[in-house]
Structure formats: C-alpha cells, structure tokens
C-alpha cells in the first residue's frame, strides 16, 4: 500500500484544488503535483477557524484530549505510508521517520494527558471580603485559549515540528483552531498527516474548521497568514532570516500578535580542562557523532566547540579522523545543501581547516574548522549558524578567556558542558553566563536529543527564539496559546465550566 | 516637615546633576527645578543594572523579600512628605494619595510574600530514566530573572503605577534590576520614592545598581532606554500613541525584547434589560460616579455604556442630572486637560449631547454623549479612548445588536455586565464575546477598582495591552520578568539554589 497524494489543500474539511500547482522535489521516488496556496485560501481557512473557535474554544478538556489521542491513532494507522513518503521527500532514513513518528504521536498523547490533568489552567481564586474597606470582590482567574493560530511546518522534522507537530498539538490542546502552512519540501508528508487529522475530526465530531492545511510554496501564503486579523499567534520553526521577516510582519500589524519563532543557534559546547585531559578523544568522537547525525540538520546541532588550547591538538586530530570517516548524506533540499556549502565556505575563509570535504547536489559531508577565541570574538561572522554538518573548534588561552567567549555569545537554544568533578570550580563560573544565554544547559551529553517533557525548554534568548519566555517543546509549550482572564463577581452559571464551584 | 526635592537623578546610589534642567508644573505649591535626563545617563544606569544583576540575580528569595519590605517601610516613613508633594504635583486630593500609598506598599509586601512562597518558580523535574531506550536524562526547570528591566512611570497613579509601582515591584521581586524613567508630571514624587528605595538598598545591602531613577522630560530618554542592548524588557502604562511608538522601537531592535505596555481602553459596560427596568436610575448614578471619580483618570474608566433603546431615556436623564452635579476637578497636567477637551469635542461632533460642560486650563468637567449602535459600529472614532471624565451612552435596538456591538469592540482591560437573574440568558450569550475582548469581566460593579490579588488580570487584547498573555497588576505580573531555563544532568552543586535537592 503506497500513498498517492491528492495534491490538494484541506480547508475546513474539504479537499480543495488550486489554480496553480507546484511539483515536489523528493530525494528519491516519484514526483507529485501539489496545488499552490494563495491569499484567498488563507482567508477562507482563517474564517473557518474563527467560526470553529466558537465551538472548539468551549469543548471540554476530555473532548479535546480524545481528539488529540484520535489524531495520534490516525497517524499510527497510516504509519507505513507516512514513513514511505516522508523518507522520499526528506531523504531521511526510514528508522528516523519511524522514530520521529513515535515522538509526534507521543507528543499528542502527552498533551492529551496534560490537559486532562488541568494544572495548566492555573486557576486562582480570591474570595470576596465584603467587610473589608473597601470590600474585596470575588475574583477568579483561568487561562483561556486565544483564538485561531497559524503554524509553519519546519523542513527538518517533517513530522514532529510540522503539520501535527508540537505547535499544532499544543495549540489544539489549548483550545485553539490551527491553520498550517505546509512546508513545500515535504508536501505529501504534510498532506497525509492532514488527512489523519481530518479523520480524527470526523471521528470525534469536532468542527471542521478546527484544522486547515494549505500547501505553501510561496512567501505570499505565509505573509497572508500572519497578517490575517483573525490570527492571534504564530508558531514557527525555521531560519533566522525567514523567521525575522515574519516576526517583523507580526509586530507591524495594526493589532500586533506574538510570533513564537524558534530560529537559529550554534549550541556551544565547552570542554573543560579536566574532562579534556581524561577523556578528550571520547568527547571528540561524541561531538562529531552529534554534529553529523542526519547531516547535522538539527536546531540543536552543536556547531561550536570551545576547549583549552593546551591539549587541543590531540582533540582536533581525533575530530578530524572521525569527521573524515562520515559518509555523504542527503540533505532536506537542494537549496539547503547549497546554503550549507556556501556557509561552510564562508567559515572556511576565516578559520583553519580541520576537515574540508567536497559534496555536490543535495548531498553534504562534514566540514570542521578551527580558530582562536581572539579571532572568534573579533569576527561576528564566525558565530553565525550554518545549517548542516559543520563544526567550529575554538581554542581559549585560559579559563578567563573561556568565560569571555561565553559572554560574547548570542542567545542559544542550548549550552553544553563537558566536565569532570575537578572542573566544578570553572563550571560554577560558567553557569551564570550560560543560563543567561541558553534555554537549556546540559552536562556531559550532547544537545541534539530534545526530550518532550514537563521540564524541557526548547527556546532561549534571541536569535535562538523570538520569545525567551516560551518553549516550543514540552508541556509548557501550551502557554503560548493561552491568556489569563479574570472574572469578578460573575454568577457561577456564566463562568467557564472549569471555573465553576 | 516638607520635602524639598534635590532635583537630581539617582544612578546606582549616586545623586547626579544634569547639564540641563526643567521646571515642574504642580497643580498648586512651589515649582522646583529638576535635572533633565539624557542618553549618557541612561547608558550609565543600564550598565550599573547589568553589573548589579550578577549579584542581585542570585540573591535568595528571602533577601529580596526583605528588600521589598524595606522599600515599603521607607515609603511609609516618608508618608506625609509623599502625600504633600504628590498632591501638589498631581492635583489629586490627599485622601487619594494616602490610599494609593497603601496600595503601593501593600503591593510591595504582597510580592515579598509571593516570592517567599516560591510557587512562582514553577519548578519541574523529570527524573532520569536510564533504562529507557533512548535513556531519558534528568531534567529540571525553574524560572530565572531575565536581567535589567526598564520601567516608565505613569502619570495617573504617581505612586502605584510609577517609580515603586507594580512594574518595579514585580521586576525586583523576580530578581531583575530596574531603571525607571520618571514621569515629568510628578518629578518630585518620583524622586522622594527613589530616595526611599535608595535607603532600602543601603539598609539591606543590595548592590547600588539594582535601581536607578532618571528624570525623563524628553522622548530621547525613553528611546535610549528601550533601545539599550542590555535592557531585556520594558514595563509601561500610558497612552496608546506613546506606547505603540515604544513597542515599535522594542520590536525593531536587533535583539527584540518584550514591551509590556498597558495602553488604552474604553471599558464597555452593558446594562441588560431586566437590570435597566428594575434599577436603571441606580445604575446611571453609579456609572457617573465611576466615570467622574478623580476626573476619570483611570485606565479602567467606564467610558462606554451600552443599553437597550427601550428605557434609555429615563437612564439618560438620570445620568445627565448626576453628571451636571459633578464639580470641576483638576487634571494631572495642562496637556491632558486640553487633550480631554479636544477628545470630548471630537466625540461631541459625532454624537448627541447629554451633558456638555465647559472647563478651562487644567480643569475638567464631565461630558456625556449619546449615540446609537448603528452609528457607533459605523464610525471607529466613536470607540477611541478619551482620557478623562467623558462617557458615551450607546443604545441598541435589541439583544442581537448588543452582541453585534460587543463583537465590534477592540481589546479592552475590562468589560462590565449590569444584570439581574432574568438577564442570565442574554449574559450567557455575551460572555464568550466579552471574555475574548477583555482581560477582566465583571458583573454588577464598576471597573475602576483594580484589586491587587492573585486572580487579577490588568491587561487584555490590543490595544488594552501589547501582550494579552500578561497582567501588570496582581502577583501574576512577576511572570513578565522571568524566563524558563532547563538544566539537564547538571550536578547539584551547579544548580540554582532553588532547584537543588
């Protein structure tokens, strides 16, 4: 059984053709034609979402949880088809797509449980004090869904950060309808997931407008979506350039809305002296493994490694051998492979070569460079993200320079310490710097695994994200799509169900 | 004992002269000279705040709570002086200033208790699962302070929303140093409060840079403050025009930051048919009382009243008599009194007159107008806020038109229902509309009292505020100055004290 894409948009329960089409660009397998999105379709989808909100915003938590579980079930039911078209379009191996599907359905089921528990509502009650002067009224607070939300699928996680990914799951859990701009790099994968959501809507009797999916092969679709007056927030994972452009559009609206963008990060890793001395080779191999996994196409890819100059040569040799041994891998799109080569070339012009490997077309091989902290701190370009399997090793003269380098970094999704017990004094000096720079600080691991959990933060100071107070992974992600409302002396019958006595 | 202002800025513990000065414009009492702010002083204050953060951001909650309590004590110790200069500069009566001082010190003490309790830290822990495939790391999450915060004092609450008001109290509670741009309408009041904070810093041994106060008689000071790269968020209460300009500056920064602006609201009140029939005259009098209290200079002033056309004439007559009887009151500044007259004149050109009273100079008297829902929905200008004791009565033909009118409103701080039991069916139709429009929905009261409590929301959809997810009053206000950080496999000794086992 092989899924043949319809090539259509899903708007409020209807599969819609467009007047123009575009062709998919799979890494392997058949090319398909897909309808192009346009402003009229965006308007139709958003109005349907607004109408659906009047029902969906008042569904019970149990009803929404059942809906999220049904989406997960429907995705699992299409598992083999999802893996097949996902591998074709993305070039990622089947095992990765299977794992990512588990992450995606697990995420949906986690949000289902999270809203059943209900703690996220943050209910507060200040009882009336009629005898106080002045009297205090009865005040009750609850978090309410904000309205229709726009979600931009990311290319690098065609399931977990795309059509039914964390943004969609958390928005639907909150009670917000979602309009997805499908990523043109995996239109068929987006469509089959949209079909699964459609089936779950029908099974659980949700309003059709609660979810729409528009193929987005042009910037015009995204612009129309974020500028639509009825859209109340945007979830986005992607490049700094594209994300900043959309952020600016959101901020310039007559009614500005939050743009939750997870943009760019070089995820610095600090190898502390004792760890370097006792297990430098192991760290070098671990770093190259994390750096080159799935062609380095992770937001949390550890692109920057900082270590003492004293002992660096052996580390660099090991890293060179390990990265030389990495086979060529196919990237998500041709354009990304070209951007990777361009970016690696830019860094290569500014730093010494450790491993420089040629690649062509949609393929990539690792490039590793080396520079000093003096040069790194002098040249901002050395700190810019290059998406793909590229790493920069920066040597520092001493502990103070390691801290200076940390202070000079921009905002990051993650910061990593490779440290042993004897490194604790230096790590204690680094921690206050790193926790201001990154959403997640980790020790003796690699940042590429992003656990979907209560205590996860996938976000951080700009440019890692556009909202340092938010996360796009983990249960706290639901907060992005809620707003507090206070009810003063409101009769019980008029309160939201979750606030009644 | 009468306070004579120094006329200086307080920057990191030092009282600083400026090269230029400006004169205060009190409603009564002596005129004083004050140093003008400038960009150089802003830079100095923000750098001091950044340095202070390295200490203050790591103080214990008990230490910060003692600091907040000490600020409250120092303000109380200067109570009579605060009232004297406050009444002179603002024109507000002494009783109001005394009450507002109680609100201000109560707010500081409430935040002290709030951080002692510690729930605001939202600590989360996902324990390691070493046997799971892949293994789950140990993940701990806590909310950390964001860094230096800029606060803009508001003119209409020279204590509770100004130098040591809710923005400053919540930022200091979170662990963030604060740089205040003093409001030029009450420079002496701002200075004496700054002096109280300075005394509290010395008594509790806090770093001097944790608080600075710059007299702000020009837009250049505010611009320099929000554009300073080390400022991480802004708290603001003021006009839509000024607030939007600062919001735009924050969004356009190389590193955008959140601008927590509480801007404009007309705070619609809906009088439902049964309530109108049974107690229309009482509601009319209550409305005029709320509308004209302290010359209507509240963000939550109920500027718009909506009621059925059937029965409106008697209501209007009562409102006319009540507002005619209101004595002339002095406004916060000359410019505001003129803007009030201009704004009331604009509405008067578009609507029928109920009460139109002349006023001159810095004084104001009520203006009340009347129009129909058809006209109100047609002309956006009728829905714009006029700061001061102006009210617009809008009549609706039927229940459906009342709901249409509610749907047509912009974002509001509050929405009020005047209703009796027989009005519940109509109120139930209005509630879903109003809770999307306003941060607080209340029944059978008036919105001007804003309780400082856990369950308060003083915020709402734009233009009521620039962040519908936040509140500037109540304990939840602390969230604006925190960001979540996740710690993965970090040794206990390196964790923030509040996260350790």
């Amino acid at each position: 059984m092989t899924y043949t894409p319809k090539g259509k948009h899903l708007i409020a329960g209807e599969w819609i053709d467009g007047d123009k089409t575009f062709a998919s660009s799979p890494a392997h397998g058949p090319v398909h034609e897909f309808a192009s999105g346009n402003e009229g379709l965006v308007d139709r989808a958003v109005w349907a979402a607004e109408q659906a909100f009047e029902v969906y915003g008042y569904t019970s938590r149990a009803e929404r949880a059942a809906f999220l579980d049904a989406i997960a079930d429907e995705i699992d039911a299409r598992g083999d088809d999802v893996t097949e078209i996902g591998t074709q379009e993305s070039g990622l191996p089947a095992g990765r797509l299977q794992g990512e599907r588990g992450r995606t359905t697990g995420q949906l089921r986690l949000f289902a449980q999270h809203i059943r528990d209900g703690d996220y509502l943050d209910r507060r009650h200040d009882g009336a004090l009629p005898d106080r002067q002045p009297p205090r009224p009865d005040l009750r607070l609850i978090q309410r869904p904000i309205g229709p939300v726009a979600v931009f699928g990311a290319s690098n996680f065609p399931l977990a950060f795309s059509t039914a990914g964390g943004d969609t799951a958390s928005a639907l859990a909150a009670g917000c309808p979602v309009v997805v701009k499908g990523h043109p790099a995996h239109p068929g994968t987006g469509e089959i997931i949209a079909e699964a959501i459609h089936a779950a809507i029908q099974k659980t009797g949700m309003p059709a407008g609660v979810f729409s999916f528009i193929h987005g092969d042009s910037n015009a679709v995204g612009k129309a979506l974020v500028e639509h007056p009825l859209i109340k927030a945007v979830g986005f994972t992607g490049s700094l350039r594209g994300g900043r452009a959309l952020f600016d559009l959101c901020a310039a609206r007559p009614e500005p809305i939050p743009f939750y963008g997870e943009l760019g990060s070089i995820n610095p890793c600090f190898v502390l002296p004792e760890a370097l001395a006792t297990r430098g080779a192991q760290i070098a191999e671990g770093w190259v493994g994390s750096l080159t996994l799935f062609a380095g196409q992770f937001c949390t890819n550890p692109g920057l490694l900082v270590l003492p100059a004293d002992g660096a040569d052996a580390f660099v040799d090991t890293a060179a051998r390990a990265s030389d041994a990495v086979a060529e891998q196919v990237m998500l799109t041709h354009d990304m492979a070209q951007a990777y080569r361009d970016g690696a070339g830019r860094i290569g012009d500014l730093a010494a070569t450790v491993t420089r490997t040629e690649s062509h077309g949609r393929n990539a091989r690792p490039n590793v460079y080396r520079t000093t902290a003096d040069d790194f701190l002098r040249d901002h370009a050395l700190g810019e993200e290059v998406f793909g399997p590229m790493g920069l090793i920066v040597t520092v003269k001493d502990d103070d320079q390691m801290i200076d380098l940390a202070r000079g970094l921009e905002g990051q999704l993650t910061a990593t310490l490779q440290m042993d017990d004897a490194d604790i004094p230096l790590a204690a000096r680094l921690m206050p710097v790193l926790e201001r720079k990154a959403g997640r600080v980790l020790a003796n691991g690699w940042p590429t695994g992003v656990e979907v959990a209560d205590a996860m933060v996938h976000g951080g100071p700009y440019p890692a994200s556009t909202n340092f107070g938010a996360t796009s992974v983990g249960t706290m992600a639901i907060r992005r799509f809620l707003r507090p409302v206070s009810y003063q002396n409101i009769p019980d019958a008029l309160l939201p169900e979750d606030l009644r006595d």
Side-chain angles (χ1 to χ4, degrees), chain A:
Chain A
M1 68 170 195
T2 288
Y3 180 74
T4 305
K6 300 173 181 62
K8 298 185 181 188
H9 313 288
L10 174 67
I11 297 188
E14 288 180 55
W15 291 100
I16 310 271
D17 276 319
D19 45 359
K20 292 185 187 171
T21 64
F22 69 102
S24 66
S25 306
H28 52 87
V31 170
H32 297 286
E33 286 290 313
F34 291 89
S36 294
N38 61 50
E39 290 90 335
L41 293 168
V42 167
D43 189 55
R44 189 167 156 185
V46 176
W47 273 102
E50 170 69 15
Q51 279 192 294
F53 182 63
E54 299 197 356
V55 175
Y56 190 69
Y58 291 86
T59 48
S60 68
R61 292 180 281 121
E63 288 170 314
R64 288 201 302 285
F67 175 42
L68 293 171
D69 283 340
I71 297 173
D73 293 344
E74 293 292 337
I75 292 173
D76 279 339
R78 290 162 179 78
D80 291 343
D81 285 345
V82 170
T83 300
E84 184 180 35
I85 195 158
T87 52
Q88 288 172 354
E89 291 186 331
S90 71
L92 294 166
R96 157 69 191 270
L97 264 292
Q98 285 155 2
E100 195 180 323
R101 174 159 54 87
R103 181 189 180 87
T104 306
T105 55
Q107 195 161 251
L108 286 157
R109 293 183 178 113
L110 180 69
F111 276 111
Q113 192 52 48
H114 188 62
I115 60 173
R116 280 193 195 99
D117 294 343
D119 288 348
Y120 80 99
L121 295 170
D122 193 14
R123 285 170 277 207
R124 298 165 180 227
H125 183 201
D126 296 295
L129 298 174
D131 298 330
R132 198 195 65 175
Q133 277 313 316
R136 182 168 83 180
D138 184 83
L139 286 165
R140 289 163 200 259
L141 181 148
I142 198 170
Q143 298 284 340
R144 293 287 303 146
I146 60 174
V149 166
V151 170
F152 286 68
S155 63
N156 63 337
F157 281 85
L159 302 175
F161 285 80
S162 189
T163 309
D167 288 340
T168 297
S170 53
L172 291 177
C176 299
V178 169
V179 179
V180 169
K181 176 197 169 291
H183 198 290
H186 55 262
T189 314
E191 187 193 290
I192 191 171
I193 298 294
E195 191 192 69
I197 299 175
H198 179 46
I201 288 171
Q202 293 184 309
K203 269 201 187 151
T204 56
M206 291 292 153
V210 77
F211 176 82
S212 289
F213 173 86
I214 301 172
H215 287 292
D217 61 317
S218 74
N219 289 343
V221 173
K223 182 171 187 291
L225 195 50
V226 305
E227 290 188 332
H228 198 291
L230 294 172
I231 288 292
K232 295 304 175 194
V234 180
F236 173 93
T237 298
S239 73
L240 176 55
R241 205 178 59 175
R244 180 67 194 240
L246 292 170
F247 170 88
D248 289 342
L249 290 176
C250 288
R253 287 166 50 122
E255 178 189 335
I257 55 170
F259 176 78
Y260 294 107
E262 191 260 272
L263 308 183
S265 191
I266 56 172
N267 302 292
C269 302
F270 295 83
V271 184
L272 274 55
E274 185 68 16
L276 179 63
T278 57
R279 51 189 175 90
Q282 183 196 335
I283 294 170
E285 284 166 3
W287 177 59
V288 171
S290 178
L291 184 71
T292 59
L293 184 69
F294 300 127
Q297 299 171 115
F298 290 97
C299 309
T300 52
N301 206 43
L304 183 71
L305 187 131
V306 183
L307 83 175
D310 184 15
D313 290 346
F315 183 97
V316 168
D317 287 346
T318 307
R321 275 195 303 277
S323 51
D324 279 337
V326 175
E328 195 164 65
Q329 291 171 290
V330 62
M331 287 193 73
L332 294 159
T333 69
H334 266 276
D335 287 353
M336 287 168 91
Q338 190 54 52
Y340 165 67
R341 281 188 288 272
D342 293 346
R346 266 199 318 275
I347 304 294
D349 291 343
L350 301 168
T353 298
V354 174
T355 298
R356 188 160 194 167
T357 49
E358 292 298 312
S359 59
H360 302 282
R362 191 163 160 175
N363 291 336
R365 289 199 62 203
N367 285 279
V368 179
Y369 303 102
R370 174 181 180 168
T371 190
T372 64
D374 288 330
D375 284 346
F376 184 85
L377 289 167
R378 235 186 325 258
D379 193 340
H380 185 268
L382 284 165
E384 288 172 11
E385 184 188 9
V386 175
F387 194 75
M390 195 212 79
L392 178 64
I393 297 169
V394 181
T395 57
V396 296
K397 282 181 288 207
D398 51 27
D399 293 356
D400 287 350
Q401 196 175 38
M402 188 177 274
I403 288 165
D404 284 347
L405 189 140
R407 283 186 193 275
L409 292 170
E410 295 190 303
Q412 304 290 338
L413 292 168
T414 67
T416 298
L417 296 169
Q418 293 290 346
M419 55 173 286
D420 285 356
D421 282 352
D423 293 314
I424 281 194
L426 175 56
R429 292 179 63 199
L430 277 166
M431 280 299 291
V433 182
L434 297 183
E435 71 164 27
R436 289 188 74 185
K437 297 291 181 183
R440 177 165 54 112
V441 185
L442 64 147
N444 297 330
W446 299 106
T448 31
V450 183
E451 187 72 27
V452 182
D454 290 329
M456 176 51 65
V457 176
H458 190 64
Y462 190 87
S465 87
T466 51
N467 304 69
F468 52 63
T471 175
S472 68
V473 176
T475 52
M476 197 182 270
I478 197 173
R479 287 213 183 141
R480 300 174 297 166
F481 306 120
L482 296 165
R483 49 178 280 266
V485 179
S486 180
Y487 299 84
Q488 178 176 322
N489 289 343
I490 298 288
D492 207 54
L494 296 177
L495 289 173
E497 207 178 297
D498 278 323
L499 259 189
R500 289 183 200 158
D501 273 336

